[in-house]
Amino acid sequence: MQKISVVIWKEWLELLKQRMLLLSVLILPITLSVIPLISLFGIALAPGTGEPDELTLRMLETDPTLIGLSEQAATQVIIGRSLSTLMLLLPMLIPSILAAYSIVGEKNNRTLEPILATPITIWELLLGKIFATLIPSVLLTWFASMIFSVGVAQSAVDPIVFSLVVSPSWVLLLLLCAPLLSLIAISLMVMISSRTSDPRTAQQYSGVLVVPFLALFVSQMFGILSFNPVTTLIATVIIAAFAALALWGAVMIFQRDSILTRWN
Amino acid sequence: MTFAIETEGLSRSFGKLTAVERLDLAIPSGSVFGFLGPNGAGKTTTVRMLTALIKPSSGSARVLGHSLGSDDQQIRRSVGMLTETPGLYDKLSALQNLVFFGRLYDLSRAEAEKQAEHYLRLFDLWERRNDPVGRFSKGMRQKLAIVRALLHEPKLVFLDEPTVGLDPEVARTVRDTIKQLRSQGRTIFLTTHNLPEADELCDLIAIFRGKLLHLDTPDRLRARLANQATLVRVVGDPRAWQATVQALPFVRDLRLSEDALEISLADPERNNPALIAALVGAGAQIRYVEPRTTTLEEVYLKLIGEA
């Protein structure tokens, strides 16, 4: 445990000294929480036409929770729910930036061999790196979600908008899935790190993580998928299985012998 | 005699390539062991196996009494290692780098700081302890990497080209440190291309190229070339005395240079008085007489060439 905390201390110390990296990590949650709020405030401030548009009408047909809402409130719920899924991007994007520098950067600086020569176990090193990345990623995700929630409460034209957007299922999804999604992203970065020596290339490879998210975003947008406590728990179990698989893959690759003899 | 390192048939292959083939070594504790060989000879692979970084394909080894494979953590805890490249965190200060590695070697924060201060002062880096390592010169980085290898006071230290990039004064400090470590009973495994340095420091030298070619003391390795000769510097053209020298029965070979005769003798200590008497008797004016010694570099190049 002591060595894990030493690795975390070193990782955070390095992060604090890399201003550009720190900035790029901080700018993401700010952007992803503020942009949806601009939309929601825009809807609240724009005068309603009184007649719902075609998309809203279609959504009203598929989503019974919207029945009885005003045009502005329904639009806020539809947009708010879709954009709330953006928060799930954060636990994937932030770790891909941090882990790229943490592992590929270490490889580039040739600091891995001196570390591996110490009596640290591979698990201690891997867990130190995972926690050093996972903790800020999850905290920033939750922090951005709080800003988003406060913004939704402030911009809601009807109190029911808040309860439909910041729903217990969404909160549960963020609490349970953010750490798991971060773990998947970090594990993937460990695997990518064995094949590339450039942090930016590693980040580009990690773009594949966004694909399942886009499917989720579109499904939410068109009402194909809506999260309730049951679907949230099912999603959590599926993501947990993927996280376990990704972690197993990372552990298989992150071995002293492989790092020194097989990593490119 | 106890041995810091004992290997038996230690081998490592990468696919079809055998990097290290059946290495048998016994390195006495408290000695400086020179591991010499050309680039790509498998030296780094050997060091990585002995420091429990990579696994051997076959064979066995004991490092400080610990078995490779089953006591790997003990081995890593007991040895220090200077890698080929310093491998330091550029954004962190010298002290932060050392405290980080010290703690990975199970030192408390206070112990790590105390040890860091001791060695940073020894290597004249204490004043720069709070500077980011990225601002350090190549030589300063190398010194810091050496400090890191010594921080936890290991009984066995692997040093890969420790004086590369260092100015002569600092290189001398490093060599003195190595001698001091030996005097403390520690074992040094020195990988180097600097042959005069190996000659000065090493008690035992291995010449290695995928497999062990020769293992001996520097003196005995030199004796293998046994081209014992006497160099006689004379006034005037040395060719004038060629016939006089060649007439002597104990002369094996004669080579001439601009102002000297290089004479290979069967037994220089016995033959030198007669040789000098013959030259003086023939009228030669002798400026200097000196033994022509074989350097370790000559021995190395010959043995590697033969391999």
Side-chain angles (χ1 to χ4, degrees):
Chain A
M1 193 64 199
Q2 180 248 332
K3 283 180 188 145
I4 296 173
S5 60
V6 170
V7 173
I8 295 172
W9 168 77
K10 191 276 294 175
E11 294 286 324
W12 287 352
L13 206 57
E14 271 200 300
L15 175 64
L16 291 174
K17 296 192 178 205
Q18 299 185 71
R19 283 185 196 158
M20 285 309 290
L21 181 61
L22 198 59
L23 192 69
S24 58
V25 165
L26 291 176
I27 216 156
L28 269 173
I30 293 168
T31 311
L32 289 186
S33 56
V34 168
I35 286 177
L37 294 181
I38 293 171
S39 308
L40 294 179
F41 275 107
I43 294 164
L45 294 173
T49 58
E51 290 291 321
D53 60 29
E54 202 178 326
L55 179 65
T56 311
L57 282 172
R58 197 177 298 166
M59 298 297 292
L60 284 167
E61 283 169 18
T62 56
D63 191 347
T65 60
L66 301 176
I67 294 167
L69 295 184
S70 68
E71 181 212 351
Q72 275 180 310
T75 312
Q76 272 195 327
V77 172
I78 294 163
I79 299 294
R81 271 183 184 164
S82 301
L83 296 180
S84 69
T85 53
L86 284 177
M87 295 302 141
L88 289 173
L89 256 185
L90 289 173
M92 294 188 279
L93 290 181
I94 299 172
S96 65
I97 297 171
L98 291 178
Y101 282 88
S102 165
I103 301 165
V104 182
E106 194 108 56
K107 192 170 129 181
N108 271 355
N109 289 336
R110 295 176 181 262
T111 42
L112 270 175
E113 188 168 359
I115 288 191
L116 295 172
T118 70
I120 190 171
T121 63
I122 281 299
W123 267 107
E124 286 169 328
L125 181 56
L126 195 58
L127 285 178
K129 288 203 169 280
I130 286 173
F131 283 130
T133 306
L134 192 139
I135 292 168
S137 306
V138 171
L139 289 180
L140 282 170
T141 301
W142 290 343
F143 180 69
S145 303
M146 276 172 60
I147 294 174
F148 175 75
S149 303
V150 171
V152 171
Q154 294 298 315
S155 65
V157 292
D158 186 325
I160 201 160
V161 171
F162 178 79
S163 59
L164 288 175
V165 175
V166 185
S167 64
S169 300
W170 180 73
V171 174
L172 197 65
L173 195 68
L174 278 170
L175 288 175
L176 296 177
C177 293
L180 294 171
L181 289 169
S182 288
L183 188 58
I184 292 173
I186 298 164
S187 303
L188 197 71
M189 285 311 294
V190 172
M191 291 186 247
I192 291 169
S193 300
S194 68
R195 291 278 159 237
T196 178
S197 298
D198 179 21
R200 280 163 296 187
T201 311
Q203 275 177 47
Q204 283 162 10
Y205 280 125
S206 71
V208 72
L209 285 168
V210 180
V211 176
F213 167 79
L214 284 177
L216 185 71
F217 182 80
V218 172
S219 306
Q220 276 271 88
M221 186 89 171
F222 291 98
I224 299 164
L225 178 71
S226 65
F227 282 106
N228 56 48
V230 176
T231 52
T232 301
L233 287 175
I234 291 170
T236 304
V237 170
I238 293 169
I239 293 171
F242 274 111
L245 191 70
L247 184 62
W248 177 80
V251 171
M252 287 297 105
I253 283 175
F254 206 74
Q255 298 294 326
R256 276 184 167 84
D257 203 301
S258 322
I259 292 169
L260 292 172
T261 60
R262 287 189 208 151
W263 283 28
N264 296 327
Chain B
M1 182 186 284
T2 57
F3 294 100
I5 297 173
E6 292 169 277
T7 70
E8 223 177 277
L10 196 69
S11 307
R12 172 73 197 222
S13 304
F14 298 100
K16 287 178 182 171
L17 175 80
T18 302
V20 178
E21 191 184 338
R22 300 200 56 78
L23 178 63
D24 295 321
L25 277 181
I27 302 173
S29 299
S31 64
V32 179
F33 175 78
F35 199 47
L36 313 183
N39 292 332
K43 302 190 295 294
T44 303
T45 301
T46 305
V47 170
R48 283 177 172 174
M49 283 193 284
L50 294 174
T51 49
L53 278 169
I54 63 172
K55 294 180 177 74
S57 304
S58 62
S60 63
R62 288 182 72 77
V63 178
L64 296 170
H66 306 297
S67 295
L68 199 62
S70 55
D71 304 329
D72 287 355
Q73 281 295 85
Q74 283 300 324
I75 291 172
R76 292 186 199 112
R77 197 167 281 125
S78 323
V79 306
M81 187 184 184
L82 171 70
T83 46
E84 204 173 352
T85 48
L88 298 158
Y89 296 102
D90 286 353
K91 302 282 177 194
L92 304 189
S93 71
L95 196 58
Q96 285 167 336
N97 265 282
L98 294 178
V99 168
F100 170 62
F101 280 100
R103 300 212 67 198
L104 293 186
Y105 278 110
D106 297 322
L107 301 181
S108 68
R109 190 179 185 87
E111 285 169 335
E113 284 175 351
K114 192 178 158 200
Q115 284 294 98
E117 180 176 351
H118 168 71
Y119 282 108
L120 285 174
R121 284 189 191 281
L122 181 71
F123 284 93
D124 208 19
L125 286 173
W126 179 243
E127 299 303 318
R128 302 288 303 271
R129 65 190 179 280
N130 292 321
D131 289 356
V133 170
R135 288 193 209 150
F136 279 21
S137 68
K138 193 181 170 194
M140 288 164 76
R141 294 166 71 86
Q142 182 73 351
K143 284 198 286 183
L144 192 60
I146 294 170
V147 170
R148 179 181 60 197
L150 302 175
L151 206 62
H152 58 297
E153 304 293 356
K155 288 179 185 158
L156 169 61
V157 190
F158 290 84
L159 299 174
D160 194 347
E161 297 284 356
T163 54
V164 159
L166 301 182
D167 61 55
E169 194 183 347
V170 180
R172 170 52 57 196
T173 307
V174 171
R175 285 195 286 270
D176 289 345
T177 305
I178 291 172
K179 288 174 188 168
Q180 196 186 341
L181 292 171
R182 175 176 48 191
S183 72
Q184 292 167 354
R186 299 192 227 192
T187 311
I188 314 292
F189 191 109
L190 180 69
T191 307
T192 183
H193 288 119
N194 185 334
L195 297 171
E197 184 174 277
D199 206 0
E200 178 188 341
L201 295 171
C202 297
D203 303 302
L204 202 58
I205 282 177
I207 297 179
F208 186 78
R209 191 179 207 172
K211 55 188 175 185
L212 191 60
L213 302 177
H214 294 279
L215 174 68
D216 221 324
T217 63
D219 286 342
R220 284 201 206 127
L221 278 174
R222 266 193 294 272
R224 279 173 190 264
L225 273 185
N227 181 21
Q228 301 186 73
T230 296
L231 202 66
V232 181
R233 297 190 188 279
V234 292
V235 176
D237 188 349
R239 280 177 296 184
W241 318 111
Q242 190 174 353
T244 308
V245 171
Q246 281 174 333
L248 298 169
F250 46 79
V251 171
R252 285 179 165 178
D253 190 25
L254 171 66
R255 282 196 286 179
L256 298 171
S257 63
E258 204 174 297
D259 68 336
L261 302 109
E262 187 181 319
I263 307 150
S264 292
L265 300 167
D267 183 351
E269 285 198 16
R270 278 185 59 191
N271 305 144
N272 275 340
L275 168 71
I276 294 158
L279 282 167
V280 172
Q285 287 180 282
I286 297 172
R287 285 196 299 192
Y288 293 105
V289 178
E290 52 198 276
R292 165 75 173 84
T293 51
T294 309
T295 65
L296 187 61
E297 187 174 3
E298 287 169 310
V299 176
Y300 171 82
L301 291 173
K302 185 170 190 300
L303 295 176
I304 285 288
E306 283 172 1

